[in-house]
Amino acid sequence: MNEPMRKTGPEAAHALGRGGFFRQLLRSHLMVAGIGLVMLLLAVAMAYVQRTQVIALAGERAPLAQSSLRMLVGVERSLAGLRGWVSLGDQALLREWEKAWKDDIDPAAKELLERRKSLRGTGQEKNLDHLLPLLADLRESQWWVKSIARTPGNEPARVISMTEVQPIAESLEQAIDGMIGDEKLRHGDSRPDVMVRLLELRAALQALSLAFSRVIEIGAPDLEQLFRTRLRELREIFGDFEPKHHMHTTRQHDLLNTFYRDLPAYALMAEKAVVLRRSAGWNRAQYLMATETVPIARRVHDIADWLADSSGNAMKSHAASVMRMENVILVLEMATVVFMGIAAILLSLRYSGALAKPISELSNAMRRFARGEEVDDIPVAQRDELGDLTLAFNHMRRSLTVSEAGLEEAQRIAKLGSWAMDVESRTLEWSAETYRLMGVEDHGQALVVDDFLETVHSEDLEQVQNAIDQAVHSGTSYEVIHRVVLPDGAVRWIHGRGEPYRDDSGGVVRLVGTSQDITDQKSVEDAFRRLADDLGERVRETTCLYAVSQIIQDPALTVGQIFKKLVKVIPPGWRPPAQVGVRIGFKDAAWGSDEFRETDKMRGADIIVDGECQGRLDVACVEKGESESRPPFPPEKRQLIDEIAARLGEALGQRAVQMERDGFFDLSVDMLCIAGTDGFFRRVSPAWEKTLGWTVKELMKAPIIDFVHPDDKAATVEEANKLAQGEPSLKFENRFRCKDASYRWLEWSSMPADGGVLFAVARDVTDRRRTEEHLKKTLDQLLRTNTELERFAYVASHELLQPVVSVEGFARLLEDKYKNRVDPVADEYIGLIAEGARRTHQMITDLREYVRVDSEPQPFSLVNCNKVVADVLRDLNDPVEESGAEIVVALLPEVRGDERQLFTLFKGLVGNALKFRRHDKTPEIEVRATDSNGEWVFSIRDNGIGIEAKDVDDIFLVFKRLHPHDAYPGTGAGLAVCKGIAQRHGGRIWAESEPDVGTTVFFTIPSRSEKR
Amino acid sequence: MRLLGDNVSVGDRGRWTLGRVFRVKLIPSVCFLVMLVLPRISVATDVLSGDVFAHVQAFKADLETLRSVTGAPRVNALELKVRGASPYEVYVQARTLFRKADRLSFEITRVRHPEPGRPQDGIAPADVLTMVRRAREAVHGVMAELDVGAVGALPEADATKTPTDVFRAILSANRQLNLLLERRFSPSDVYMEVTVAIGYAAQLLARYPVAIRIPDPPPFVPAKEPSDVYLRLLACLKIVAGLLRDSGLEAMTIDASEALAENVTPSDVFDMASLVVAQLDVLHRHSQVGRMPREGFQPGRKFPSHVYQQASILKLQLEELARLSGRP
């Protein structure tokens, strides 16, 4: 831009300053405005004064008048309510009285008190000062009226009647009735004159009471007179009784005295009541109302009335003042309106000519420029605001010329052409870029719409024509994407937009629009669409495969159900699903979808289970359509079919294995389970439900530890920790809670496994535990009994031995000292004592030996039985020599045992063989041992007197003797001791014998781990 | 009470009738005359509290005789901490005693006794003594009517006794006397007395233009007992006593605790209400309000809860009065 341009720019308008046109306009307007302003100020001042008057009217006088009136209403309302309450006793009227104070009088008094400041120094203020105390008096007075009315105390005469007169009257009546009753009781009808007098007395009393009641109720002077007459009559009748007192009974006498006492009191009190009833204040509420409340109310009424009147007068005065001012303001406003109108007309006429000419020139130039005609700069006539406007136009014209060139270049770069169409002539104006896009040469000739339509692709022609027609007829803008065919046959995609322009009548006269080359964009969109289609297919296939996997892995479904579902979920892998039908053949059966039928387009795959083909999956294309353009079984679909068949085969194989495992799991009588490290069952066998009563769901819902007996929880947790560390658990027992709240003993064998689970087998050992506990208790009891018995026997033998030894010793002393010195009988007795003591001593000694077998055991050691038997024979050397016995001892083994007790055992058995020998034969004794089934069987055989078969078992009983003392000495405890020793060594003892042939005694000792 | 049987001769009956007339009419009349004369003598001879106390003690002995004959219950002790009772307060209590005795007299003998007029120039122990003697006269009439033995002997006067001691003694006699009445002092009587107090308080509040003379009653609270009313009136009494002291007058103080509750009867509450009225009367006279207080009225049947509500109005009035007169 050069310097002159800058001077004529918009900024230069300010530099030009305010010109003459501005000053002329300003001067004329200011004159009109100034005069109008003065008149308006005058009107405002008047309005302000008027406003003050109105505020005073509305804010002070009106509320004062309103409050005064409200108080008047409230006072009257309160009086009405109070009168109603006093007269009728209706609570609603009392509430009306309260509301009068709360709703009317109190708010009005408050309002008046607030307005008191504005009334300072006026007569209203003085009256207000009188009014407020009067209101307080009125309120208090009304409160008393309200309180007294409807109470018994409202009528003092009635109170005296009730509290004083009535009781005395009742007392009098009772006295008379008592006298009448007594007369009847004592004299019957024999004294009619007395009875008549008594009845007259009662009648007189009743008449008096009635008269008194009427006086109190009605209060008329004639009734008072009647009352006094009745009283006099009663006294006269009663006076007759006094001279005739000797005729009365004692009780009548007493009652007459009561009458004598009460009658004056009655008369006194009744008279008092009558006087009160006659007084002006007989009704206290009404009296108070008339003498105090109403006068105060009248005074309040007068003051409030005066206040209301004075406020009303003040309001009238203010209203007149306001009216006058309102008239003045109205006149001023009308004058302002007239003046402003005249001034505006005159000034407009003066300046319109000077303004019109340059504006008209400027307007013509702008119109020509708008039509596209060449327009030169307009000369500037004067340097005022119109000159500025002309300069601005010139600047705008030059700027637009430059912008058009820039626009053309921009269209070329954006491949965006513009156009315009004259609707009436159907001629087109194209930009240079539009010519290029349409492939049309610009020969400078005017184009028509048909020229454009010839370039449009035949398939899009109708669409384009409709868009243009609709824009022309309905006046709506349009957008259309179409193709044009270039002269070389190439196709170009065009995005066309059109905007209608209307004339003043509303008809569309021109279409203006753009055409943009979007061929590249369309290519990219096609590529994206194809990619999206492929992606959709993959998603569909993956979804289908997922659905297939879900079905074949569902353990709840049978094989048939799986196939039935599969033929429904496979078709959605194609688009559309109805395009294909599916059939699955497995072993001798087949399942197919409704759409399936064999066609020439089929694809299948074998179902291989455990390496063996057991079925086939077939997919048939059953519908034409899209398959024309896209083959039904592209590689991806074929791969899908193969994958489904493979997964199906694999799943069926796993299913067979699972069924075998489940069968084993379900049929086990033991309780099998799989548990997680989270402490919950993962799976349990049906045996759980049978044993404990819980359902499988109940068992799996709660932590395992919740089922364990509280006393076993600690041990169970400890065992679970071991399992968590990978150690197996065997034979662990705890108690498990059943559904019926009982507990059962379970023996667990558990094994940790991979995957955070463990396998466990639980066996119900409750019965075994009970048996064991019973046995244990029995054994304990037995052991306790044995121990006590042993202790008793041991203690008894010890305690008995001492005195027996003493007896034996002294018996021998007696025998030694006095035998044959006293007499034969004494010798015999002493002998018997000594013998008895000796035998007792022997029995105790044997008993101690018998007890000692278990009470004084020695620890077992390896004992050589050969040595033991040798020691025994050495110990029995005397009897052996005495009897001349022949003793054969075979090779004996070494056993684990108590050497001392084995010595006693062998000595007892060999000693018995010697003792019970036949005197007609040489004793022959054999000691042997044989190994039999893990134990040594020792035998001591003799050729003695033998034992009857029936006594063979009895010989091992303690102190069991088969022969008298004098035949064979001894106590009979020896074999019992032997039996005890054999049993302590874990063996048995028995005998085989035949009388006069001999006896063989056997005993066994376990031979395990013993060496011979 | 001695009753004549049927075996008594007619002559005896006649003499008995005259005897009864003599006892019922003549003795009280003579006593009445004596009592009328005695106060004048007593005033002239400087009656002390000890003299009054001795008469009250004799009165109580008479009551005990009556009580034992009629079988009325013996009143429970009421432990009150009374301090600084003035002759006027004792007088008011004695006036209550007289009114009760008069009621008893009317119930039994049908004889009414005029109440002694109130002295215009201050209350002295002699005035209290007059009231006690008149009350005793009424009781003697009753004893004569019932033919109950001799009246109690007058004990020696104790010069150390104070008006407060007399007050306590009269209070005790009042309580026992109430139990002898057929128509005992009830909540309705208390209501009437409290209403009179409200009238006094309203008159006193009328001196202040902004004062609310009779406030709205507080909500009715059922199931109140005489003890509740008693304590409320006691609170009123404290406020009035404070106002009296502010005015340079003497005032009695009574301290009572919740423990009183079991022993308080409507009669006690009536006595307390009478005291409040008496003190308000003193205040009213001292303040020279000019307006005459309003009379009470028989309100009909009322429960302690009604009286409590009324006493609450009084308390609000007195609190307002205290606030306006500058008491904290």
Side-chain angles (χ1 to χ4, degrees):
Chain A
M1 287 250 179
N2 52 26
E3 191 63 23
M5 280 297 287
R6 266 188 275 122
K7 285 182 181 174
T8 58
E11 302 87 1
H14 297 288
L16 289 172
R18 289 165 174 81
F21 183 69
F22 170 77
R23 283 193 294 277
Q24 287 176 32
L25 275 177
L26 184 63
R27 193 184 310 123
S28 64
H29 290 170
L30 282 177
M31 284 173 68
V32 174
I35 295 169
L37 199 62
V38 169
M39 298 184 79
L40 280 174
L41 282 173
L42 197 58
V44 166
M46 299 289 285
Y48 178 77
V49 175
Q50 185 187 12
R51 174 179 164 275
T52 309
Q53 296 284 340
V54 169
I55 287 173
L57 199 64
E60 295 172 8
R61 300 300 177 188
L64 195 64
Q66 187 186 13
S67 300
S68 303
L69 291 172
R70 194 173 178 184
M71 180 163 291
L72 281 175
V73 171
V75 168
E76 291 303 327
R77 194 175 160 196
S78 70
L79 280 176
L82 199 61
R83 281 196 187 100
W85 164 247
V86 170
S87 306
L88 306 174
D90 187 352
Q91 287 285 343
L93 294 167
L94 191 59
R95 284 195 291 275
E96 186 64 21
W97 171 78
E98 289 172 349
K99 282 176 71 177
W101 279 96
K102 282 187 178 170
D103 298 347
D104 294 329
I105 302 175
D106 286 343
K110 189 178 175 188
E111 181 72 26
L112 290 173
L113 200 61
E114 287 175 359
R115 300 289 159 202
R116 189 173 175 279
K117 288 179 186 171
S118 64
L119 305 173
R120 191 157 295 164
T122 65
Q124 287 179 327
E125 185 189 15
K126 290 177 183 172
N127 275 302
L128 205 54
D129 289 344
H130 286 125
L131 177 63
L132 296 176
L134 274 177
L135 276 179
D137 289 344
L138 181 62
R139 186 184 201 123
E140 186 196 340
S141 176
Q142 289 191 352
W143 187 88
W144 280 99
V145 172
K146 180 240 350 173
S147 301
I148 295 173
R150 319 313 303 179
T151 65
N154 187 39
E155 294 182 27
R158 200 181 291 276
V159 172
I160 292 174
S161 170
M162 284 191 302
T163 60
E164 313 282 356
V165 180
Q166 289 296 336
I168 302 173
E170 287 170 9
S171 173
L172 290 170
E173 280 183 17
Q174 286 172 3
I176 296 173
D177 289 344
M179 285 190 285
I180 292 171
D182 199 61
E183 181 65 22
K184 284 181 181 174
L185 182 69
R186 296 191 178 278
H187 302 289
D189 297 332
S190 60
R191 300 197 307 174
D193 54 335
V194 175
M195 182 60 81
V196 167
R197 276 203 311 278
L198 287 171
L199 291 174
E200 283 174 353
L201 188 63
R202 185 166 70 178
L205 181 63
Q206 287 172 344
L208 176 64
S209 296
L210 182 62
F212 175 72
S213 300
R214 293 187 67 194
V215 170
I216 297 302
E217 195 66 34
I218 301 169
D222 55 337
L223 292 175
E224 279 186 38
Q225 189 58 43
L226 179 63
F227 160 72
R228 293 199 175 87
T229 304
R230 295 280 184 253
L231 182 60
R232 192 172 58 249
E233 288 171 1
L234 178 68
R235 279 176 170 156
E236 286 170 3
I237 294 171
F238 181 64
D240 290 346
F241 280 82
E242 188 68 21
K244 300 183 177 75
H245 61 81
H246 59 279
M247 295 176 66
H248 300 138
T249 65
T250 307
R251 176 164 168 69
Q252 286 174 338
H253 228 280
D254 291 343
L255 292 170
L256 274 175
N257 278 323
T258 300
F259 210 93
Y260 180 80
R261 181 197 68 186
D262 286 355
L263 185 57
Y266 179 89
L268 184 67
M269 288 300 151
E271 186 63 31
K272 187 178 175 185
V274 168
V275 170
L276 279 173
R277 180 63 181 82
R278 192 174 56 221
S279 67
W282 69 273
N283 185 313
R284 290 180 64 184
Q286 287 180 359
Y287 183 73
L288 192 60
M289 187 97 172
T291 58
E292 185 178 302
T293 310
V294 172
I296 296 173
R298 288 282 158 259
R299 290 174 64 192
V300 172
H301 188 281
D302 292 344
I303 293 174
D305 196 26
W306 184 86
L307 282 172
D309 283 348
S310 62
S311 298
N313 293 333
M315 284 170 68
K316 281 178 189 171
S317 169
H318 279 288
S321 170
V322 168
M323 184 60 75
R324 283 193 297 275
M325 289 183 189
E326 183 67 30
N327 292 335
V328 172
I329 291 169
L330 192 61
V331 168
L332 283 174
E333 285 174 349
M334 287 178 67
T336 305
V337 169
V338 170
F339 175 78
M340 294 293 282
I342 293 168
I345 291 168
L346 292 175
L347 288 171
S348 297
L349 286 173
R350 182 177 175 185
Y351 290 101
S352 60
L355 283 170
K357 188 180 175 187
I359 291 173
S360 174
E361 287 177 359
L362 187 60
S363 167
N364 289 333
M366 288 177 75
R367 199 173 296 117
R368 288 203 306 277
F369 184 70
R371 285 200 298 266
E373 296 175 9
E374 283 289 333
V375 177
D376 294 332
D377 285 352
I378 302 170
V380 177
Q382 51 188 0
R383 292 183 65 79
D384 57 9
E385 286 80 356
L386 282 173
D388 293 345
L389 186 61
T390 306
L391 285 174
F393 171 75
N394 292 339
H395 178 68
M396 180 191 71
R397 186 190 63 78
R398 285 194 292 273
S399 297
L400 280 174
T401 304
V402 173
S403 296
E404 279 182 357
L407 177 64
E408 192 171 331
E409 181 63 15
Q411 284 187 352
R412 189 187 64 76
I413 293 169
K415 296 181 180 180
L416 176 69
S418 61
W419 52 267
M421 185 190 101
D422 187 82
V423 172
E424 188 178 358
S425 63
R426 294 183 67 81
T427 57
L428 291 172
E429 296 169 21
W430 282 4
S431 68
E433 183 62 17
T434 307
Y435 276 106
R436 195 188 65 75
L437 290 178
M438 299 302 172
V440 177
E441 292 288 333
D442 184 4
H443 298 297
Q445 295 176 347
L447 292 171
V448 293
V449 175
D450 292 341
D451 295 333
F452 161 66
L453 294 176
E454 282 179 6
T455 65
V456 176
H457 192 284
S458 59
E459 291 178 2
D460 301 336
L461 188 58
E462 186 180 355
Q463 176 192 5
V464 173
Q465 278 184 324
N466 288 340
I468 293 171
D469 291 345
Q470 190 173 359
V472 169
H473 291 113
S474 63
T476 56
S477 58
Y478 73 87
E479 282 192 27
V480 63
I481 293 174
H482 61 88
R483 288 163 288 184
V484 293
V485 182
L486 302 180
D488 60 359
V491 174
R492 179 172 285 158
W493 282 92
I494 298 294
H495 184 186
R497 291 187 180 87
E499 189 74 28
Y501 282 84
R502 300 169 187 270
D503 59 6
D504 295 340
S505 64
V508 176
V509 294
R510 191 176 172 83
L511 287 179
V512 178
T514 60
S515 296
Q516 188 173 15
D517 182 2
I518 59 169
T519 307
D520 296 342
Q521 183 184 341
K522 289 294 286 185
S523 301
V524 172
E525 283 178 3
D526 288 344
F528 268 118
R529 191 177 302 114
R530 282 196 297 277
L531 199 59
D533 285 348
D534 288 346
L535 191 60
E537 284 300 313
R538 298 295 84 75
V539 169
R540 196 169 292 109
E541 289 159 9
T542 308
T543 307
C544 171
L545 203 56
Y546 177 73
V548 168
S549 299
Q550 291 294 107
I551 292 168
I552 63 180
Q553 287 175 1
D554 189 347
L557 297 176
T558 63
V559 174
Q561 288 172 331
I562 289 174
F563 292 151
K564 206 171 177 180
K565 285 180 177 285
L566 284 182
V567 299
K568 289 181 181 173
V569 300
I570 292 174
W574 276 259
R575 189 183 59 163
Q579 180 189 354
V580 297
V582 178
R583 180 182 64 190
I584 299 174
F586 187 73
K587 294 184 178 174
D588 296 332
W591 293 264
S593 66
D594 296 340
E595 295 81 8
F596 181 82
R597 67 176 184 278
E598 291 194 351
T599 63
D600 55 347
K601 290 182 180 177
M602 287 182 63
R603 174 73 188 178
D606 291 336
I607 301 171
I608 310 296
V609 180
D610 292 338
E612 183 187 347
C613 178
Q614 295 190 0
R616 184 170 176 77
L617 168 67
D618 288 316
V619 181
C621 179
V622 295
E623 191 177 89
K624 290 185 179 179
E626 201 171 343
S627 60
E628 295 285 336
S629 58
R630 194 166 52 191
F633 299 114
E636 291 83 4
K637 299 298 181 191
R638 292 201 295 274
Q639 192 178 348
L640 175 65
I641 294 168
D642 294 344
E643 181 68 23
I644 292 171
R647 290 195 182 189
L648 189 55
E650 186 182 351
L652 289 172
Q654 288 176 353
R655 200 175 181 83
V657 173
Q658 182 69 29
M659 285 174 68
E660 288 174 4
R661 196 186 304 152
D662 288 350
F664 173 74
F665 195 81
D666 294 344
L667 291 174
S668 172
V669 292
D670 285 338
M671 291 175 279
L672 307 182
C673 67
I674 301 172
T677 51
D678 56 357
F680 284 83
F681 284 119
R682 297 277 178 88
R683 188 175 175 190
V684 294
S685 67
W688 283 88
E689 188 170 348
K690 290 177 188 169
T691 307
L692 302 178
W694 300 104
T695 63
V696 174
K697 280 186 179 175
E698 288 169 339
L699 285 166
M700 297 179 71
K701 196 165 62 179
I704 298 170
I705 199 70
D706 285 359
F707 295 100
V708 177
H709 192 283
D711 294 344
D712 298 342
K713 279 188 178 177
T716 304
V717 170
E718 189 180 349
E719 202 69 15
N721 290 335
K722 284 183 187 174
L723 282 166
Q725 292 169 2
E727 295 179 20
S729 170
L730 298 173
K731 302 284 183 186
F732 172 70
E733 293 182 1
N734 64 4
R735 280 163 289 183
F736 229 66
R737 184 160 50 88
C738 301
K739 193 164 186 178
D740 60 1
S742 65
Y743 283 89
R744 297 196 75 79
W745 278 96
L746 301 184
E747 182 185 83
W748 295 79
S749 294
S750 310
M751 182 70 72
D754 295 337
V757 298
L758 59 89
F759 299 108
V761 181
R763 177 170 294 171
D764 183 7
V765 294
T766 307
D767 294 340
R768 194 199 77 198
R769 290 290 299 223
R770 284 178 185 156
T771 306
E772 284 177 1
E773 285 175 8
H774 180 68
L775 281 174
K776 188 171 179 299
K777 283 180 185 172
T778 308
L779 189 62
D780 290 345
Q781 191 175 1
L782 200 58
L783 285 173
R784 274 199 307 275
T785 307
N786 274 347
T787 304
E788 287 169 5
L789 279 173
E790 285 165 6
R791 182 169 178 74
F792 169 74
Y794 188 78
V795 171
S797 60
H798 270 78
E799 296 302 321
L800 287 172
L801 187 61
Q802 186 62 35
V804 169
V805 169
S806 300
V807 171
E808 186 184 7
F810 281 109
R812 282 183 182 156
L813 285 173
L814 279 172
E815 198 172 27
D816 293 345
K817 193 169 182 177
Y818 296 104
K819 192 171 181 180
N820 300 325
R821 291 190 181 179
V822 184
D823 59 50
V825 176
D827 291 346
E828 184 183 352
Y829 289 170
I830 291 169
L832 286 173
I833 290 170
E835 180 58 19
R838 188 188 57 77
R839 281 168 53 194
T840 304
H841 184 185
Q842 187 60 45
M843 284 182 74
I844 289 172
T845 303
D846 291 347
L847 182 63
R848 285 181 64 186
E849 191 65 30
Y850 177 73
V851 170
R852 197 178 289 159
V853 172
D854 289 321
S855 63
E856 296 180 1
Q858 297 297 316
F860 282 8
S861 60
L862 204 57
V863 179
N864 189 337
C865 294
N866 297 303
K867 177 179 176 297
V868 173
V869 173
D871 290 343
V872 167
L873 294 179
R874 197 165 26 253
D875 196 57
L876 295 173
N877 185 47
D878 290 347
V880 169
E881 285 186 355
E882 182 189 344
S883 62
E886 295 176 1
I887 298 174
V888 176
V889 179
L891 187 61
L892 300 177
E894 285 184 335
V895 296
R896 286 192 65 80
D898 183 343
E899 186 173 351
R900 187 183 63 78
Q901 288 187 346
L902 288 175
F903 174 83
T904 304
L905 174 60
F906 280 109
K907 184 182 175 183
L909 296 178
V910 174
N912 269 356
L914 289 171
K915 184 162 68 174
F916 297 103
R917 64 180 181 271
R918 287 177 59 180
H919 295 291
D920 56 345
K921 279 187 178 179
T922 302
E924 294 175 359
I925 299 172
E926 287 181 10
V927 180
R928 296 182 184 280
T930 58
D931 191 359
S932 174
N933 295 328
E935 59 183 7
W936 289 106
V937 180
F938 291 86
S939 61
I940 295 90
R941 188 185 64 79
D942 62 49
N943 59 347
I945 59 175
I947 309 166
E948 292 287 342
K950 64 179 176 61
D951 298 327
V952 165
D953 292 334
D954 295 342
I955 60 175
F956 295 104
L957 299 176
V958 66
F959 298 134
K960 179 66 180 178
R961 295 178 53 82
L962 300 179
H963 307 285
H965 287 287
D966 50 354
Y968 294 97
T971 60
L975 283 176
V977 171
C978 292
K979 184 180 177 182
I981 293 171
Q983 286 178 340
R984 187 185 168 234
H985 283 74
R988 298 165 285 127
I989 190 167
W990 71 96
E992 295 175 357
S993 182
E994 188 178 350
D996 297 331
V997 176
T999 302
T1000 304
V1001 179
F1002 301 92
F1003 71 89
T1004 65
I1005 291 179
S1007 64
R1008 283 189 300 270
S1009 75
E1010 273 75 18
K1011 291 186 293 185
R1012 189 175 182 100
Chain B
M1 184 174 178
R2 183 168 66 84
L3 295 175
L4 296 178
D6 289 345
N7 56 349
V8 178
S9 67
V10 173
D12 289 340
R13 287 181 203 144
R15 282 195 297 277
W16 175 83
T17 301
L18 292 176
R20 283 216 31 135
V21 171
F22 176 77
R23 283 196 296 273
V24 173
K25 295 292 172 184
L26 199 57
I27 291 178
S29 302
V30 172
C31 288
F32 175 67
L33 289 172
V34 170
M35 292 299 173
L36 279 177
V37 174
L38 274 178
R40 308 297 186 268
I41 300 168
S42 300
V43 169
T45 55
D46 283 342
V47 175
L48 299 176
S49 293
D51 302 316
V52 184
F53 187 81
H55 277 82
V56 175
Q57 291 301 105
F59 183 84
K60 287 171 75 175
D62 295 340
L63 283 184
E64 178 59 23
T65 306
L66 262 182
R67 189 201 66 75
S68 61
V69 170
T70 58
R74 180 177 280 119
V75 72
N76 294 322
L78 186 67
E79 293 299 332
L80 287 178
K81 293 177 183 174
V82 183
R83 292 192 303 273
S86 66
Y88 178 72
E89 285 150 349
V90 181
Y91 175 81
V92 171
Q93 197 66 19
R95 188 174 63 191
T96 307
L97 186 75
F98 167 78
R99 287 175 183 174
K100 288 182 183 176
D102 182 50
R103 183 181 285 190
L104 178 69
S105 168
F106 184 77
E107 283 177 355
I108 295 175
T109 68
R110 302 298 185 205
V111 174
R112 279 287 188 195
H113 300 268
E115 184 175 316
R118 180 181 159 175
Q120 295 301 315
D121 48 352
I123 301 294
D127 302 311
V128 180
L129 183 62
T130 303
M131 198 63 80
V132 172
R133 279 178 171 157
R134 295 292 297 279
R136 216 179 152 203
E137 173 201 340
V139 168
H140 288 166
V142 172
M143 292 172 76
E145 171 68 20
L146 300 179
D147 201 12
V148 174
V151 298
L154 191 66
E156 282 291 319
D158 184 352
T160 63
K161 294 297 177 186
T162 63
T164 302
D165 297 324
V166 180
F167 181 90
R168 284 200 201 96
I170 297 177
L171 187 68
S172 172
N174 252 328
R175 301 182 74 233
Q176 182 61 67
L177 185 51
N178 188 61
L179 294 181
L180 294 172
L181 292 173
E182 183 180 344
R183 189 166 66 84
R184 292 175 186 173
F185 279 75
S186 65
S188 298
D189 297 305
V190 184
Y191 187 96
M192 186 163 69
E193 198 70 4
V194 173
T195 306
V196 172
I198 287 174
Y200 270 106
Q203 299 296 340
L204 290 166
L205 280 168
R207 290 178 298 167
Y208 305 98
V210 294
I212 298 171
R213 296 182 196 172
I214 302 177
D216 292 335
F220 180 79
V221 182
K224 288 291 179 187
E225 294 184 356
S227 58
D228 298 319
V229 184
Y230 191 86
L231 292 174
R232 177 122 303 197
L233 288 173
L234 201 59
C236 293
L237 190 71
K238 282 183 181 172
I239 299 173
V240 182
L243 291 169
L244 283 171
R245 288 191 204 98
D246 288 350
S247 303
L249 301 171
E250 290 181 353
M252 176 181 68
T253 60
I254 296 180
D255 292 331
S257 64
E258 301 285 342
L260 282 173
E262 290 181 4
N263 295 332
V264 167
T265 63
S267 167
D268 298 324
V269 187
F270 180 81
D271 296 343
M272 180 58 68
S274 299
L275 268 178
V276 174
V277 170
Q279 291 198 344
L280 279 171
D281 181 57
V282 173
L283 195 62
H284 183 264
R285 287 166 187 268
H286 179 77
S287 304
Q288 296 180 336
V289 174
R291 300 176 184 226
M292 288 302 291
R294 297 185 188 274
E295 292 178 9
F297 56 90
Q298 183 58 246
R301 178 153 190 194
K302 294 290 177 187
F303 301 125
S305 291
H306 292 115
V307 189
Y308 185 85
Q309 191 182 30
Q310 201 77 345
S312 298
I313 294 176
L314 175 63
K315 186 163 178 279
L316 288 172
Q317 284 179 302
L318 295 175
E319 285 169 350
E320 176 77 353
L321 195 59
R323 187 180 67 79
L324 292 170
S325 62
R327 276 184 68 78

